[in-house]
Amino acid sequence: MLSNLQVLRGIAALGVVFFHTGYKLAGDWHTEFFGVSTFFVISGFIMCFITRKGDDDFLAKRLERIAPLYWLCTAVLLVVMFGSALLEAATWAKPLDGHSREPLWAYVGRSLIFAPIG
């Protein structure tokens, strides 16, 4: 049963990714596919289901599974966006265009420790 929900959650996640591409279907119809709401409802259910007998180290296990991949993807994105300019202090000192007034180092640092960026 849980594997079927995981498949549906994966399809919903793909819907979210597709939505963020900005692709529009015929008639200028945006492609949300209710992916966000479906993904979060299923994820909430799965988290409740797997912790029903105890939540021993749930958060630690989740961070251990998710954080390294997130950090790797962030590093790759920075290299793609800035390339060798990452080696220059000036790149880290100026703000990311259109996102915040804080310098890039603070913006990236807050992201890597999962702190809200506002």
Side-chain angles (χ1 to χ4, degrees):
M1 174 186 104
L2 205 54
S3 60
N4 291 339
L5 283 176
Q6 292 284 29
V7 169
L8 183 58
R9 186 170 76 150
I11 292 169
L14 288 174
V16 172
V17 170
F18 196 62
F19 171 77
H20 285 292
T21 65
Y23 183 77
K24 303 223 180 207
L25 297 173
D28 204 34
W29 185 62
H30 205 288
T31 56
E32 183 177 355
F33 301 127
F34 301 104
V36 173
S37 54
T38 304
F39 177 80
F40 281 110
V41 166
I42 293 172
S43 293
F45 171 79
I46 289 173
M47 282 190 287
C48 290
F49 185 80
I50 64 175
T51 59
R52 71 188 183 282
K53 293 181 180 173
D55 59 354
D56 298 337
D57 300 324
F58 174 77
L59 183 58
K61 289 176 186 174
R62 190 160 178 84
L63 280 173
E64 187 178 296
R65 190 177 71 244
I66 293 171
L69 181 60
Y70 177 73
W71 295 333
L72 176 67
C73 290
T74 300
V76 169
L77 180 63
L78 285 169
V79 169
V80 168
M81 287 177 67
F82 298 102
S84 62
L86 284 175
L87 301 175
E88 300 170 15
T91 301
W92 292 98
K94 59 185 175 183
L96 189 60
D97 291 338
H99 288 290
S100 71
R101 290 193 169 105
E102 64 186 347
L104 180 63
W105 68 265
Y107 188 83
V108 172
R110 288 163 49 90
S111 173
L112 292 176
I113 62 169
F114 303 104
I117 296 174

